[in-house]
Amino acid sequence: MNERRFNIKGTAALDEVSCHLASLRHEADIIAFYGSMGAGKTTLIKNLCHKIGVTDEVNSPTFAIVNEYVTEKGESVYHFDFYRIKKLEEAYDIGYENYFDSGNLCLIEWPEMIEPLMPEKYIRVDIQHGETDDERIIKCEIIRD
């Protein structure tokens, strides 16, 4: 099956999602996180980075657009936040293709802002609010266009 759903209650339960995403690493270098403001995209990315051995502090690159983190093994991980992108040229200006084609893990918040630039194959993560403040429904799916 290509899709997996998680019903998460509280941030401690994110470990299961992060382990699943880490297990899909061989499928794609790009993980795109979709969800409304406050859905928990950055929180899940922080948890995932911790799981894969990132030693740097993980913060949303809202103003910088991209942050680079390094794992214990010396591998780079790129974290994008395209929320403030107004036009695709801004993604070209930061050299997005150099990051996407690097073979390193790229974690993308607000990928809908650069939808035409998304690769043919990536992991899509949809995060929705649940019935309570600490509940989330998270769907992970491998996209192959």
Side-chain angles (χ1 to χ4, degrees):
M1 187 166 107
N2 190 24
E3 178 185 299
R4 181 145 178 216
R5 287 183 179 269
F6 298 87
N7 290 324
I8 300 299
K9 208 165 177 68
T11 56
L14 289 175
D15 284 353
E16 185 182 1
V17 180
S18 293
C19 286
H20 176 66
L21 290 173
S23 77
L24 296 177
R25 176 69 175 92
H26 67 282
E27 292 285 346
D29 298 326
I30 311 284
I31 305 177
F33 295 82
Y34 292 81
S36 62
M37 187 74 73
K41 297 179 293 293
T42 304
T43 302
L44 178 54
I45 287 171
K46 286 180 181 183
N47 188 281
L48 174 59
C49 284
H50 175 73
K51 277 278 176 239
I52 62 172
V54 167
T55 55
D56 301 315
E57 183 177 344
V58 176
N59 293 309
S60 182
T62 303
F63 295 101
I65 300 177
V66 62
N67 286 343
E68 179 179 2
Y69 312 125
V70 179
T71 68
E72 295 163 337
K73 296 178 182 176
E75 299 166 332
S76 291
V77 174
Y78 300 111
H79 179 189
F80 296 86
D81 184 334
F82 288 116
Y83 182 73
R84 296 191 183 282
I85 292 282
K86 301 285 186 259
K87 50 190 176 192
L88 288 179
E89 287 76 18
E90 294 176 63
Y92 286 107
D93 289 346
I94 65 160
Y96 85 93
E97 62 275 297
N98 294 326
Y99 296 105
F100 285 18
D101 296 339
S102 69
N104 293 306
L105 185 60
C106 294
L107 309 171
I108 303 172
E109 295 188 53
W110 300 101
E112 53 269 51
M113 305 303 280
I114 61 150
E115 201 70 43
L117 305 179
M118 290 299 291
E120 290 181 9
K121 187 176 182 186
Y122 64 96
I123 300 163
R124 180 182 175 118
V125 178
D126 288 289
I127 306 172
Q128 296 178 337
H129 291 275
E131 293 181 16
T132 62
D133 286 346
D134 68 340
E135 189 177 7
R136 298 292 183 272
I137 296 116
I138 302 173
K139 182 176 76 170
C140 304
E141 177 181 18
I142 300 166
I143 302 297
R144 294 178 179 95
D145 284 343

